[in-house]
Structures are given as structure tokens and as C-alpha cells.
Amino acid sequence: MAKIQMKTPLVEMDGDEMTRVLWAMIKEKLILPFVDLKTEYYDLGLLHRNATQDKVTVEAAEAAKRLGVAVKCATITPNRQRMEEYPELTEMWKSPNATIRAILDGTVFRTPIMIDAIRPAVRTWEKPITIARHAYGDVYKAVELATTEAGEATLTFTRESGSVQTLSVQKVKGPAVFQAMHNTEGSIRSFARACFNFAVTTRQDLWFSAKDTISKVYDGRFKEIFDEEYEAYKGEFERLGIKYFYTLIDDAVARVIRSKGGFIWACKNYDGDVMSDMVSTAFGSLAMMTSVLVSPDGKYEYEAAHGTVTRHYYRYLKGEKTSTNPVATIFAWSGALRKRGELDGLTDLVDFGERLERACLDTLSSGVMTGDLAGLAEPGYCAKAVTSEEFIDAVAARLG
Ligand code: NAP
Ligand code: MG
């Protein structure tokens, strides 16, 4: 059988631990036999990031900007414990995802992969709910202060032109805590555009929620910016029969639970952090969550939402065969290949991405799944827990 040809290479970002092991297996058994794979390879494994003073992460992100589509393996974000585990580390390197997100100015969209064998905890959900989380500012870049003494906190803004504006935050009679946070119009606009673009490409309604009744200036500005940006997409939304609407965060939560799913929920930074964990858990498993970073100018980076699955890796190092779920990582590859195919006008490549996903879903429906899912499967699916390799072989057999 002739292999499927590619035009533009994918940016391939390799990673760490168990997911790095799965990465090689997926390529060898599910991609290379079928696709004449072209990639620009960047090794974001922790030790190679260290050896390059983390330059490789920046180069990989620049390549994603240049080529437009990337696929990324999960990577270790070093913390104190990792510094002890890897004494050769010269620095506690930043999270690669944060570096890539900053360079691409992107928004992360997380979507669960739904299968019949696993019912969402919310009975009405029939289709996936995608969470779009704003990735800049608010409490994640706040300054905080605690006092044990009475006094007054003020908020002062000094304009470049020299004028000064001061507001009283609160006079306190005793111990108290304070917080000041910010966001920029530029970042909010990028977020809004990424959301509208994603809604158009995936043909789904877009919801945006905030709390502008209480936070009239701050959240109010988010709402206005979304409204302003929507003007440019309105025609396309109407043509596709999809809707944009804004609602208060508490109303959104109630509507989400009553909904059938099948839409994108754009959340501010903190709301997205919290809601994405709730939504992914209610859909079943972190190992079934896909993630794509989309920049406002239409660059894409696909990955799994989970981490490097360290506990399984240590069992693998002892020679055990693990039952780590490769589905979200396979979907990162299928998503990237499909998008590359769309952008380059290669129908075969688009079809292959779809076939690969279908093969995974059919394998799962046949009851062949990794341990994390077998434990959750509805009775009647006679789920059989297999190793990662057996699962990948079963998918390959369906593709071949
Ligand atoms: P994790 O790797 O997602 O794993 C947490 C636990 O979730 C696992 O121990 C496992 O539970 C279960 N799990 C996750 N993915 C699974 C899969 N594919 N198949 C089966 N079970 C799965 O999170 P973590 O342990 O907090 O983080 C490990 C490392 O990953 C850290 O160094 C962190 O920095 C990094 N990380 C990277 C990314 C990224 O690159 N995008 C994201 C998050 C974390 P059981 O052990 O109970 O089976
Ligand atoms: Mg979180």
C-alpha cells in the first residue's frame, strides 16, 4: 500500500517519561506504516531542555509559528522534587507549555473524547463540552499583601503621561488581606478571537461567562471586548447557524448542567482552571481529554491534557508492562495530521486522521481498553483491561 504523502512538516515536540514511551510506540505502529511522515523534530525531554538552556522549547514554539501545526508530548515541569531526582539540572526550567503559550499568544481548548462504554456523570450530556480557558492574568498574576495592623489600602495608577489616579480599596480596623490583579485589552482580544475562530472551525455555539453585574469595570470590559470582536464574525456565525451568547457565570453553570453538550464554554482564567477539572472529571477520565492551543492568527498545537504519568513510568522502568491510556496522545497526532491535511489540501491525510480516531473508538467499543477505562465502563461492555502495547496493536490491526 502506498503511504500517504505530506507537503509541510509537522512540528514534533517529544517529551518525558511514560508519554515519551507511548509517543515512540504510536509513531512506530500507528503513523509510520501509513504516512510518509514529515516532521521537524524538537526534543523537549527534560534533560535536553536542560542541555540547551531551554532554548529548544523556544525554537519549537517558533517553528510552530512558522509551520502552523505542532504535536506535543507531555513534558515534566520541574519542581523541587525533580531537582533532586535530576541533579544535573542547572535551573528549575519553566513549564514548556507556559513558554509555548506565551510565544503563540494562544488559548487552550480542552475537549473530552466520549465513548458509549462510559457515561458522563451528568445524564443529559450527549455531546462533548469544550472549555476554552483564558491563559493570562487575573489572580495568576496578582500581587497580594497581608497586614496585622489597621490602615488603608489604596490602588494607584500612574499614567505614562504623568497623571495619577488613586482609589481607596478599604480602610481596615485590624488584620486583613489584599489583592490587586490586572488584565490587558490585547490579551482579552486575542482570547476572544481565538474563541470565535474555534467556534467557526468546529461549527459549535460559543458561550462566554463572567460576573459583570458585580465586577462592572473589570468583567464588564471582558464582555464588551467579546461583543466588539463578535462583530467581525457575526456574518460567518449566521451563515453556519451557530450562536454566540454571553451570560453570567452562575447562570452558565446551571445551563451547562441542564444542557446536552456540544458547545464551547469560554471562561476567564480562574473559572477555566476550576471548570475544566469539573467538566473533565464528569465526562469520565483525564486520560480521555484532548487539548489544543490555538493562536489568534490560526496556529495550532495539539496535545493530551494529562501529564507524563510518572507512577506508570517507574513501573515501566522496573520492566512491567503498564496499562497507560494512549488515546489522548493518539488524538493529538490525529488532530495535528488532520489539520495539516486541511491546510495543505491533502484529503488523504485528513481521512487518515479520521480513520485513526475511528479505529481507537471502535477498539474501545469492542471492550478492549486500558485499566483506567475498564474500571469505569458500564456493565455489559465486558471491558477487558489490556496493556498500552496491546491496545495500540488492536488499533493498528483495525487500521491495517
Ligand atoms: P499525570 O501525569 O496526568 O498523572 C496523574 C495520574 O492520573 C496518574 O498517576 C494516573 O493515575 C492518571 N493518569 C493520567 N494520565 C493517564 C493515562 N494516560 N492513562 C492512565 N492513567 C492516567 O499528572 P501528574 O502525576 O500530576 O504529573 C506528572 C508529570 O507530568 C509532572 O512532572 C508534571 O509536571 C507533568 N505534567 C505535564 C503536562 C503537560 O505537559 N501538558 C500536564 C500535566 C502535568 P494512577 O497512577 O492512579 O493510574
Ligand atoms: Mg487546575
Side-chain angles (χ1 to χ4, degrees):
M1 202 173 55
K3 287 191 189 179
I4 296 161
Q5 295 298 309
M6 293 179 65
K7 269 189 208 155
T8 319
L10 283 180
V11 180
E12 176 183 355
M13 307 179 184
D14 208 345
D16 288 299
E17 297 193 316
M18 203 58 218
T19 40
R20 188 180 180 104
V21 176
L22 296 177
W23 193 261
M25 243 187 246
I26 292 167
K27 271 178 72 176
E28 183 206 324
K29 298 188 175 201
L30 301 180
I31 316 278
L32 292 173
F34 308 98
V35 180
D36 193 6
L37 185 68
K38 281 196 183 129
T39 73
E40 236 180 60
Y41 178 87
Y42 294 87
D43 182 1
L44 301 198
L46 181 58
L47 292 178
H48 192 244
R49 272 180 276 149
N50 189 60
T52 61
Q53 304 273 301
D54 208 22
K55 281 202 187 68
V56 66
T57 309
V58 175
E59 284 164 10
E62 298 291 353
K65 251 183 136 163
R66 175 165 42 84
L67 295 173
V69 186
V71 56
K72 179 180 172 289
C73 177
T75 46
I76 292 171
T77 298
N79 54 15
R80 239 173 243 117
Q81 193 197 328
R82 296 289 195 178
M83 298 300 282
E84 283 164 26
E85 188 182 346
Y86 296 90
E88 57 271 68
L89 292 187
T90 55
E91 220 176 282
M92 210 193 289
W93 303 107
K94 272 197 344 195
S95 149
N97 286 43
T99 304
I100 297 165
R101 212 161 45 216
I103 292 175
L104 290 180
D105 187 17
T107 299
V108 175
F109 296 86
R110 291 195 159 181
T111 310
I113 301 160
M114 289 182 78
I115 54 170
D116 293 341
I118 296 169
R119 298 260 169 79
V122 178
R123 279 172 303 171
T124 51
W125 289 355
E126 289 166 9
K127 290 182 184 163
I129 295 169
T130 297
I131 300 257
R133 174 183 169 189
H134 186 208
Y136 176 83
D138 300 355
V139 286
Y140 301 86
K141 254 193 177 320
V143 287
E144 302 190 314
L145 183 154
T147 176
T148 51
E149 228 185 281
E152 181 178 15
T154 59
L155 182 65
T156 299
F157 182 66
T158 310
R159 293 192 168 70
E160 248 177 13
S161 58
S163 70
V164 174
Q165 190 178 359
T166 298
L167 299 175
S168 173
V169 175
Q170 186 68 39
K171 277 187 184 143
V172 295
K173 298 197 174 92
V177 284
F178 299 97
Q179 182 184 64
M181 62 185 195
H182 84 286
N183 223 299
T184 66
E185 264 210 33
S187 173
I188 303 166
R189 274 191 205 286
S190 293
F191 172 51
R193 266 181 235 143
C195 291
F196 288 122
N197 279 330
F198 197 76
V200 167
T201 5
T202 61
R203 296 173 179 233
Q204 296 183 90
D205 289 352
L206 175 69
W207 304 15
F208 174 54
S209 58
K211 192 71 181 176
D212 68 305
T213 44
I214 301 299
S215 169
K216 291 188 168 59
V217 174
Y218 198 105
D219 282 21
R221 197 65 198 119
F222 272 79
K223 176 175 185 260
E224 282 165 12
I225 290 173
F226 265 74
D227 285 344
E228 288 164 18
E229 292 296 327
Y230 178 53
E231 285 306 311
Y233 294 88
K234 214 171 179 171
E236 190 67 359
F237 267 58
E238 279 163 9
R239 204 178 58 76
L240 294 172
I242 56 175
K243 286 195 199 71
Y244 164 65
F245 82 99
Y246 169 84
T247 186
L248 289 170
I249 177 80
D250 34 358
D251 179 52
V253 168
R255 284 173 187 252
V256 163
I257 297 298
R258 289 196 309 262
S259 78
K260 292 197 161 100
F263 56 89
I264 302 156
W265 182 11
C267 291
K268 289 180 61 200
N269 210 345
Y270 174 80
D271 297 341
D273 187 354
V274 178
M275 293 306 159
S276 69
D277 278 3
M278 190 197 67
V279 169
S280 65
T281 308
F283 270 106
S285 166
L286 184 61
M288 294 290 279
M289 199 67 165
T290 63
S291 182
V292 57
L293 174 72
V294 184
S295 78
D297 55 346
K299 315 291 180 199
Y300 296 79
E301 183 238 318
Y302 291 83
E303 61 179 321
H306 60 77
T308 59
V309 211
T310 311
R311 294 212 306 177
H312 294 213
Y313 182 59
Y314 280 96
R315 296 213 299 271
Y316 165 85
L317 288 181
K318 284 190 204 140
E320 247 183 75
K321 296 233 180 242
T322 71
S323 185
T324 317
N325 190 340
V327 172
T329 306
I330 299 173
F331 271 60
W333 275 98
S334 59
L337 290 169
R338 220 175 34 198
K339 179 55 76 180
R340 193 65 269 169
E342 273 170 39
L343 295 176
D344 289 351
L346 302 172
T347 342
D348 284 0
L349 199 57
V350 176
D351 290 347
F352 177 74
E354 273 156 25
R355 270 207 294 143
L356 179 54
E357 291 178 4
R358 177 57 34 217
C360 281
L361 297 174
D362 290 347
T363 304
L364 293 167
S365 296
S366 75
V368 176
M369 49 186 85
T370 46
D372 56 314
L373 297 182
L376 295 171
E378 294 286 314
Y381 270 88
C382 36
K384 173 169 161 260
V386 297
T387 65
S388 305
E389 194 162 8
E390 285 166 338
F391 180 82
I392 290 172
D393 285 339
V395 175
R398 281 177 192 274
L399 272 178

